[in-house]
């Protein structure tokens, strides 16, 4: 009887051990299959992380860190490329320290370009083109054609944002196409406190020789902006526009007032000299042009006025 019990217990123990080994092997196999599936399938990125939650919370640093960890394993993971590029752009735009800005800008462009080149019409194509266009805008005037190209593509794909027309307009202005630039800036949604946009629109109107419209915008910026530097710049530009409109008395008053605050401003000295010249007060005009040359010895306009061709 005792021998039978021992045999049964040994048999049960053996079966439990075999069952445990079998379950362990199944678990290892399942883990391997999941790893292979997720690692090779770009669409698996969404299943590996609550990336959308982090994105919606604005936690761009964690989005970037997680995306980069995925790209280390799979450099062509499409979703990881998009989120890495987008997070880099937003980190560039919101509070990054100067030494990190170049790195974030280059990361944004590289990852977003790679994402768009992987396959035609990927899920986030419109937003990727939008962010890529704005990233190129940060690269400077040499990249204006790419700014326009990508932002226009974003529009064609149905992307809508309040600043997209503004960026296209400014890109055209940087390229020297002031007329088209003004057309786009006119389409930009009016934002009550966007005086920087109004100032840029006024400069575009000035370049397009639409001085009346430029003057209205400069006056509004000067009257309402809380940015003292922007107000001062608008005030100086008002004088230049008054000069173009042959309203020389108003221009002269502004130049004189501006020089009281900024006695070393060469633009104001030169403009005041031009008005004295029109008033046939050559001695006063010469003093203003000489002041320009003292401050800027290579100023061609002032040198030409003083010494001719």
């Amino acid at each position: 009887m005792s021998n039978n019990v021992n045999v049964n217990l040994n048999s049960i123990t053996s079966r439990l051990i075999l069952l445990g080994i079998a379950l362990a092997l199944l678990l290892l196999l399942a883990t391997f299959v999941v790893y292979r599936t997720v690692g090779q399938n770009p669409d698996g990125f969404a299943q590996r992380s609550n990336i959308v939650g982090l994105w919606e919370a604005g936690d761009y640093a964690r989005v970037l860190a997680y995306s980069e960890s995925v790209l280390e394993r799979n450099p062509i993971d499409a979703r990881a490329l998009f989120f890495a590029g987008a997070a880099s752009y937003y980190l560039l735009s919101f509070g990054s320290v100067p030494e990190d800005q170049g790195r974030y800008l280059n990361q944004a462009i590289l990852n977003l370009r790679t994402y768009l080149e992987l396959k035609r019409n990927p899920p986030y194509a419109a937003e990727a083109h939008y962010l890529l266009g704005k990233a190129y805008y940060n690269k400077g005037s040499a990249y204006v054609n790419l700014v326009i190209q990508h932002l226009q593509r974003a529009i064609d794909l149905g992307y809508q944002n309040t600043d997209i027309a503004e960026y296209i307009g400014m890109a055209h202005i940087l390229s020297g196409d002031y007329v088209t630039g003004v057309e786009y800036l006119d389409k930009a949604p009016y934002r009550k406190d966007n005086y920087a946009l109004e100032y840029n629109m006024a400069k575009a109107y000035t370049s397009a020789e639409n001085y009346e419209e430029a003057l209205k915008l400069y006056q509004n910026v000067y009257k309402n902006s809380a940015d003292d530097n922007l107000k001062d710049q608008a005030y100086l530009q008002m004088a230049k526009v008054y000069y173009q409109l042959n309203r020389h008395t108003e221009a002269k008053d502004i130049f004189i007032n501006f020089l009281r605050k900024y006695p070393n401003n060469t633009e104001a000295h030169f403009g005041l000299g031009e008005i004295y010249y029109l008033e046939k007060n050559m001695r006063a005009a010469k003093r203003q042009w000489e002041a320009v040359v003292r401050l800027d010895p290579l100023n061609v306009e002032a040198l030409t006025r003083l010494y001719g061709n």
Side-chain angles (χ1 to χ4, degrees):
M1 182 71 176
S2 176
N3 289 336
N4 289 337
V5 170
N6 288 334
V7 169
N8 289 336
L9 287 174
N10 289 336
S11 176
I12 292 171
T13 300
S14 298
R15 290 177 182 176
L16 288 174
I17 291 172
L18 290 173
L19 180 60
I21 292 171
L23 288 173
L25 289 172
L26 285 172
L27 181 60
L28 285 171
L29 179 61
T31 301
F32 176 76
V33 170
V34 169
Y35 175 80
R36 293 284 293 175
T37 301
V38 172
Q40 294 181 4
N41 178 12
D43 292 333
F45 176 74
Q47 301 169 9
R48 294 197 300 270
S49 163
N50 185 21
I51 196 70
V52 175
L54 292 172
W55 180 259
E56 291 176 349
D59 194 346
Y60 304 124
R62 289 180 65 191
V63 170
L64 179 59
Y66 188 85
S67 301
E68 288 180 334
S69 72
V70 174
L71 292 172
E72 287 179 2
R73 298 191 298 272
N74 183 4
I76 59 170
D77 187 309
R79 292 178 187 269
L81 283 166
F82 170 75
F83 281 109
S88 295
Y89 176 80
Y90 284 115
L91 287 169
L92 164 73
S93 302
F94 300 111
S96 61
V97 295
E99 55 265 31
D100 288 337
Q101 290 179 351
R103 175 170 61 87
Y104 284 140
L105 180 57
N106 291 331
Q107 282 181 329
I109 290 173
L110 175 62
N111 287 322
L112 290 170
R113 280 184 63 93
T114 306
Y115 170 73
L116 289 169
E117 291 169 1
L118 277 179
K119 57 183 178 180
R120 297 185 64 182
N121 300 320
Y124 305 107
E127 187 168 0
H129 279 292
Y130 167 73
L131 293 175
L132 193 52
K134 292 180 69 173
Y136 276 123
Y137 186 86
N138 281 274
K139 294 284 281 186
S141 58
Y143 295 84
V144 291
N145 289 337
L146 288 170
V147 175
I148 295 168
Q149 172 189 321
H150 285 288
L151 292 180
Q152 187 58 57
R153 181 60 179 151
I155 292 173
D156 294 342
L157 290 171
Y159 194 81
Q160 297 181 351
N161 194 288
T162 56
D163 66 359
I164 198 165
E166 177 183 341
Y167 273 89
I168 295 178
M170 290 307 303
H172 279 291
I173 289 168
L174 288 173
S175 74
D177 185 354
Y178 301 107
V179 174
T180 304
V182 167
E183 290 176 356
Y184 272 96
L185 290 177
D186 277 338
K187 297 175 186 177
Y190 177 73
R191 286 176 283 168
K192 185 176 180 181
D193 60 346
N194 194 352
Y195 297 110
L197 171 60
E198 289 197 14
Y199 178 82
N200 287 326
M201 288 181 67
K203 290 187 70 175
Y205 279 128
T206 301
S207 299
E209 299 184 358
N210 189 343
Y211 299 118
E212 294 288 353
E213 289 299 320
L215 182 60
K216 291 176 186 176
L217 291 171
Y218 283 135
Q219 288 172 330
N220 190 54
V221 173
Y222 177 68
K223 179 181 178 181
N224 296 304
S225 176
D227 184 333
D228 289 337
N229 182 60
L230 190 62
K231 286 169 70 78
D232 287 340
Q233 291 302 313
Y235 191 51
L236 179 59
Q237 296 302 324
M238 283 167 55
K240 295 181 180 181
V241 172
Y242 278 132
Y243 179 84
Q244 294 295 336
L245 292 171
N246 295 316
R247 295 168 64 174
H248 297 145
T249 300
E250 291 152 300
K252 181 179 178 180
D253 289 342
I254 291 177
F255 282 135
I256 290 172
N257 288 333
F258 197 83
L259 286 168
R260 290 192 181 111
K261 186 173 183 180
Y262 300 104
N264 293 329
N265 185 275
T266 56
E267 293 178 273
H269 277 297
F270 184 82
L272 187 56
E274 293 293 286
I275 293 174
Y276 284 136
Y277 175 79
L278 292 173
E279 294 177 347
K280 302 186 184 305
N281 187 345
M282 294 304 298
R283 181 176 296 180
K286 186 177 179 181
R287 283 199 300 267
Q288 296 302 318
W289 296 329
E290 286 174 342
V292 174
V293 173
R294 282 196 303 272
L295 295 164
D296 180 9
L298 298 180
N299 189 291
V300 175
E301 290 180 308
L303 289 169
T304 300
R305 282 304 200 186
L306 286 169
Y307 306 112
N309 296 326

